[in-house]
Each structure stands twice: as C-alpha cells, then as structure tokens.
Amino acid sequence: MIGLISATAAGASARDRLATAWPDRTRVYDGPVREAVERAFAECDQLVCFLATGATVRLLAPLLADKSTDPGVVCVDEAGRYAVSLLGGHAGGANSLATEVGSTLSATPVITTATDATGIPGLDTLGLPFEGAMATVTRAMLDGAPVTLRADAVWPLPPLPPNVTADGAGGAPPTRPGGDDPTEPTAHAPLGVPMPSTPAGTVRPDATLLVSDRVVPLGPADVVLRPPSLVVGVGASRGVGVDEVYGLVVDVLRDAGLSALSVGELATVDAKADEPGIVGAAAELGVPVRTYPADVLASVDVPNPSDAPLAAVGTPSVAEAAALAAAGRGGELLVPKRKSSPQGRPAMATCAVVRRATRGRLAVVGLGPGARDLVTPRAVAELRRASVLVGLDQYVDQIRDLLRPGTRVIESGLGREEERARTAVAEARAGHAVALIGSGDAGVYAMASPALAEAADDIEVVGVPGVTAALAAAAILGAPLGHDHVSISLSDLHTPWEVIERRVRAAAEADIVVTFYNPRSRGRDWQLPKALALLAEHRTGTTPVGVVRNASRPDGTSHLTTLARIDPTTVDMMTVVTVGNTATREIAGRMVTPRGYRWQSEGAR
C-alpha cells in the first residue's frame, strides 16, 4: 500500500489526483502531518509526501531504522512539478515509484542514486537475491575500478560497464582450497555465505561479481547474485509435517553445496498440491509450488523409479520426475531422490534437485512510427534491460542514446531481416538478454514474425507492442479506422501479386477500410494504381483517401484526397495510404469513418 500525506490545499489537490488514479494502491492519511507520516511509515510499503523535501526529511528522520526495511518515500512539491525519490530508491522502490508518480501527475521524476544517474544497472534492482558486499562492488563499478565477473553460465543480465570483465566464458566460481564447506547452517535456517570483514586501513581489494547457485566463499569485496536456477522436486506421504519437508530440502541443498536462494520453485504431483507440509515448506523458502498430473510425471525418464508412488498417486516417480519436468529441456539432475530421516519413524518425504539450463531472453520491441514520445515506456525499459541490441542501422540510430553503457549493438542494413532474426535468437540462446527492434509494432510487417519462426521454447520471448504506422497515420488524418479495417502490404517481394490482389478484392467487396503499407517504390510503381482501381470497382470516386508520409516525424506530411484524385506518384515507401469505405466522410477537413452506418442511412433521408 502507498500512503499519501499532504499539508496544504495545493498538496491535497495533487494527492487526490494520485488517489483517484490509483484507488487500489493508495491510502490517504489525514490529520496532523507528523502523526500522518508516523502512521503511514508504520503501515505502508511506500509513501508519497506532498511536502517540501526539508520538512519531509525532518519528519522521517526519527523513524528511520534500516534501508532494507524502511518504506520507499517520494516527495512531490505542492505545485506538482517534481517527484523526488527521497528514501529507499532501490530497496524501497522509490525510484520506480517516482517515475510512476511523475507519469501520472505530469511531474519530472528526480532520481539521484548513483547507478541510475550514470546508467549503470543497480545490482540490487535485478530481481535476484544476493549475498555479500553489494555496496562495495557497486561502488567499484561506479568508480571504474576492476571488477571480475565469474558465473556458472551466461545469464540474461543487463549490460555491465566495461570495467566489469568476465573471468573466462561461463567460468565457475572459485572453490575454497581443500574443498571444506565454508558454511555450517543449521538444518532449518536459510543457507548463507560468510562475510569476512576488511580490517580498517587496508587497501580495498579487487571486487568480484559472481553469478552462481553454489555456496561459495566470499571475500570483503565480493557479491554473489543468485539466479533462480534450481528446481526441487518433492514427494510426500499424506500428513507430512512442514519441518520434515523443509528440513530435508535444506539438508540436501547444504550437502550438495547449493544455495537455497537459487531455488525457483518446488514441484510435485497434482495430488499433493494442497499438502500442508509441501505448501508450508515452499512458504518457508519463499517460492511457489508447481504441480503436474500423474500421467505427465509417469512419462518422464528418471533414474530411480519406485513402486510405492506408483501405487499411491499413479506415477513411479514424484520428486525426480517433477523436478525434471519443471526444469524443462536441458535440465540436469544434480541430486537424485533422497528420503528424509526422521528419528523413530519411517520417512514421509523425498526430494530431488535439478538445475535448469540457462534461458536467454529475447524482447521483440516495437519503436513506434519514429517520434520519440511515441516510444512506449515499456519499450524503453526493455532497451535498457538488454545487454545485446539487434536492429536495422537506421532504427538503432533513433534510440542509441537510450541504451545503457556497455550494450553490445549488432546492426545491419535493409534486406537482411532474416539474418537479424537469426542473430537475435542465437544471442538469446547463448544466455543473453537481447532486444530485437523494429519500427511501428514489431509484429506488424516487422521483425517478430521471422524471429519467432526461428525461436523455440528454449528461450524466453517477450513482445513489446508499438504504435503502428497505420495508427499514427490515422490519428493525423482524423478517425478513418472507426469501423472494420484491414492493412495490406503491396510489396510482392515475399508475397505473390496474385495473393495480394485477391486480398484487395476481398476488402473491396466487403466494404472494409484499407491501409496500404509499402505502397510504391522505384522498382514497384504499378501495384498501387492497380490496387486503387480494384477498390474503385466497389466505391465511388469521392471516397476519402488519406496519404501520410513519415507519420509523427518532424518532416512528416499528410493530405486528404479522394479515390478519383489521388496521385500515386506522390507516394513512396515511407508513406501509408488509407482508403475509406462507403461510409467514410470528410468532416471539417478530417477523415472520419463512423462506428456504425447510421450516419449513412440518416444522411440519405
């Protein structure tokens, strides 16, 4: 919950605007300001104070305890001009909240944390659990000091600055000399990593950033990120206790030298979905429970099948099979089925541990029609998340300034779409976070189709919608797409003209508004006149036609004409042509297609 506090009428006005916009996320705290701040600080995850920053600091100072538990606080001036991330920028989510508040109230977000100011990703904002000297390693990254990256495998991290260098490709974290266990956690405590302290006055050692699911020794300038790479399969008898399941899981992970912070989920059979012992153990670990039907688990090849689970729930394996099923293709069985060992009675729980194969991430991003303010916030977020960007050179130039330092850019020219798609998928398969960009919406005559034709289920794929050229042109023309409409590309480079012609005829006969993409080039100058002639067989010469070139860009042009008067020679590949249906009208210089056909029938009376 987000607590909202104000002291004046002006502040209350902005406060109420935010409360109206976020009714399910916010709570207004009235009364004396000091008491309101104290109550909100104790009860809420975040605060937005419509007060001067100085006053807010004085009110908060006595309440501060620890940055890992204090709520994030954003301060908005009473004029609503600025949203300042004041407290808990990363841990409390105040940086992202300031951005959200700024967007909602048309205020400028003010974020002063060093990583955000320099474009370096905050390691504590990646959504991965971590252990070790986070502040020390982050400081080294900011200072340009050497930071060594050691990882079990390539993970889809955002771009890291050039002073962070990999210690070998997919190199393993170091092991403690002699192989002794660096920790001795108790059976029911989360696994941890010891943090040796640095004596005062010593020289700061080189920093190390590790990405690993293994328990590793950490020095005073080391931090380890815990990827969600482990799946724990669990089988259990009815009535098993939470302590037995949780204790077994922790013991197994400890003995294997694996971190509980890298457990992504517990997996079991459907019949055990509500078993309190399993559900409770998952809650202790802070992970979800994933279940599978018995027949699905029975089809999984496992090394240790058993008659007991086959008789009880219909599959010869629960723990191993569930873990392997949840891990997906390429999962590696690290710990075969192991039983619990309670004193004085038979075991009631089993578990197995599987490591997932690393999954890269491919975001297919639509950049919109060209104007920077039509690039969506989600697209910007994906561009800044990607460590590898793949795109057409001219599109890369449009958004190069949005990329984080260290982003690897792979660009190429026109006509190499399939090559770019293959490259993007290959980089994602290598474990990277990849953004593949296209203009408009990447799924409309753009890069999503060839990329997804190459991609399998071994990578994560995210689609980021963008404003299409048809929509941008329609907004300029008026409301030509108010009723049924279709987009048709007139390029016959990949589609035979006979197919295109059939589609144009069908749209003409169905009286559908048509937007033509790729209408005319120097080598294709007859297709647009032919398509217009096909439409003219079913529409009058006075049918409105909108012609928009470089929609939304500074050099963009548009004009409204008719089916009889349009001059195809004024059209090129940067143009979209929208042809109305029989109900479309020009009204006050705008192209309008009614949502229904009542206007047409009423006008005929």
Side-chain angles (χ1 to χ4, degrees):
M1 186 61 65
I2 302 171
L4 306 181
I5 302 102
S6 63
T8 67
S13 176
R15 176 203 67 190
D16 292 344
R17 286 168 55 201
L18 196 62
T20 300
W22 300 346
D24 299 327
R25 300 176 59 190
T26 58
R27 179 186 303 158
V28 173
Y29 283 80
D30 291 317
V33 174
R34 182 176 298 278
E35 295 177 10
V37 169
E38 290 175 354
R39 286 187 288 120
F41 195 90
E43 297 171 0
C44 295
D45 301 311
Q46 296 173 318
L47 277 67
V48 180
C49 298
F50 296 85
L51 306 165
T53 53
T56 306
V57 167
R58 292 182 183 281
L59 291 168
L60 292 174
L63 308 176
L64 301 182
D66 185 275
K67 72 175 185 178
S68 64
T69 57
D70 290 339
V73 179
V74 170
C75 189
V76 180
D77 65 295
E78 295 185 352
R81 298 170 301 171
Y82 303 103
V84 182
S85 175
L86 190 66
L87 180 71
H90 288 167
N95 288 350
S96 57
L97 179 60
T99 301
E100 282 192 274
V101 171
S103 176
T104 303
L105 299 182
S106 298
T108 301
V110 179
I111 298 171
T112 58
T113 45
T115 51
D116 296 272
T118 59
I120 293 174
L123 298 178
D124 55 348
T125 68
L126 303 183
L128 300 179
F130 62 86
E131 295 170 289
M134 176 62 72
T136 301
V137 175
T138 300
R139 184 74 260 170
M141 291 171 58
L142 289 166
D143 290 345
V147 178
T148 301
L149 171 64
R150 296 178 182 172
D152 290 335
V154 178
W155 283 90
L157 300 176
L160 299 172
N163 58 306
V164 180
T165 55
D167 182 17
T175 56
R176 179 179 290 269
D180 53 315
D181 188 350
T183 61
E184 292 295 337
T186 59
H188 290 190
L191 299 181
V193 177
M195 277 298 300
S197 60
T198 302
T202 59
V203 177
R204 184 178 69 184
D206 287 348
T208 303
L209 169 62
L210 302 103
V211 185
S212 177
D213 56 23
R214 290 184 276 176
V215 175
V216 295
L218 292 183
D222 299 341
V223 68
V224 58
L225 301 179
R226 297 299 190 187
S229 53
L230 304 178
V231 179
V232 177
V234 177
S237 301
R238 185 178 300 278
V240 66
V242 173
D243 288 348
E244 184 168 349
V245 177
Y246 179 69
L248 172 63
V249 171
V250 170
D251 288 346
V252 165
L253 292 171
R254 180 197 61 218
D255 294 346
L258 300 171
S259 172
L261 295 178
S262 280
V263 175
E265 59 189 345
L266 296 191
T268 190
V269 67
D270 279 352
K272 301 297 179 180
D274 298 324
E275 186 65 47
I278 295 177
V279 174
E284 291 281 346
L285 291 164
V287 299
V289 177
R290 187 173 182 181
T291 66
Y292 293 90
D295 60 337
V296 171
L297 297 186
S299 68
V300 178
D301 186 27
V302 297
N304 299 293
S306 172
D307 292 335
L310 179 62
V313 293
T315 173
S317 172
V318 174
E320 290 177 344
L324 287 166
R329 183 188 304 180
E332 177 189 4
L333 182 62
L334 299 180
V335 182
K337 179 180 70 175
R338 176 171 153 182
K339 294 182 180 181
S340 57
S341 54
Q343 294 183 350
R345 59 177 176 79
M348 297 183 69
T350 60
C351 83
V353 183
V354 171
R355 177 182 285 140
R356 303 178 191 273
T358 58
R359 282 172 60 86
R361 188 175 191 276
L362 173 62
V364 188
V365 181
L367 298 178
R372 174 55 62 85
D373 60 350
L374 291 182
V375 179
T376 67
R378 187 178 299 180
V380 173
E382 289 293 347
L383 294 176
R384 295 182 64 76
R385 176 173 180 167
S387 60
V388 180
L389 181 84
V390 181
L392 180 67
D393 47 14
Q394 57 185 285
Y395 298 154
V396 171
D397 289 341
Q398 291 177 18
I399 49 82
R400 199 181 297 270
D401 63 300
L402 296 177
L403 305 178
R404 289 189 188 274
T407 304
R408 181 157 55 93
V409 176
I410 303 174
E411 55 190 300
S412 56
L414 287 168
R416 300 174 68 179
E417 289 76 16
E418 286 78 10
E419 178 185 329
R420 286 195 291 277
R422 287 192 294 270
T423 298
V425 171
E427 290 289 340
R429 285 198 173 117
H432 299 295
V434 183
L436 175 63
I437 58 173
S439 66
D441 183 285
V444 179
Y445 302 122
M447 293 304 302
S449 295
L452 297 192
E454 293 285 337
D457 61 359
D458 55 343
I459 62 173
E460 180 185 1
V461 178
V462 177
V464 181
V467 179
T468 68
L471 295 179
I476 293 169
L477 294 171
L481 309 183
H483 208 284
D484 297 337
H485 54 275
V486 64
S487 295
I488 299 177
S489 172
L490 295 183
S491 172
D492 54 3
L493 294 178
H494 299 286
T495 305
W497 174 254
E498 293 77 12
V499 175
I500 297 173
E501 183 172 329
R502 286 202 305 270
R503 292 170 179 172
V504 175
R505 287 186 183 277
E509 293 171 359
D511 195 29
I512 295 177
V513 176
V514 181
T515 298
F516 289 123
Y517 279 71
N518 305 314
R520 184 177 181 272
S521 67
R522 284 178 294 181
R524 295 184 300 100
D525 59 0
W526 59 268
Q527 286 89 343
L528 178 59
K530 176 63 175 177
L532 295 172
L534 293 173
L535 293 177
E537 293 176 7
H538 299 271
R539 303 176 196 186
T540 68
T542 59
T543 300
V545 176
V547 180
V548 181
R549 186 178 190 277
N550 283 337
S552 85
R553 300 185 184 185
D555 59 346
T557 61
S558 67
H559 67 275
L560 194 58
T561 182
T562 65
L563 192 54
R565 296 171 57 193
I566 181 174
D567 180 2
T569 64
T570 64
V571 174
D572 61 13
M573 287 290 286
M574 305 302 294
T575 306
V576 290
V577 177
T578 301
V579 183
N581 64 12
T582 57
T584 305
R585 296 289 183 267
E586 179 181 344
I587 301 175
R590 302 181 185 92
M591 186 176 177
V592 180
T593 302
R595 291 182 61 187
Y597 292 102
R598 292 194 185 93
W599 292 6
Q600 186 179 20
S601 60
E602 290 172 357
R605 292 192 189 122

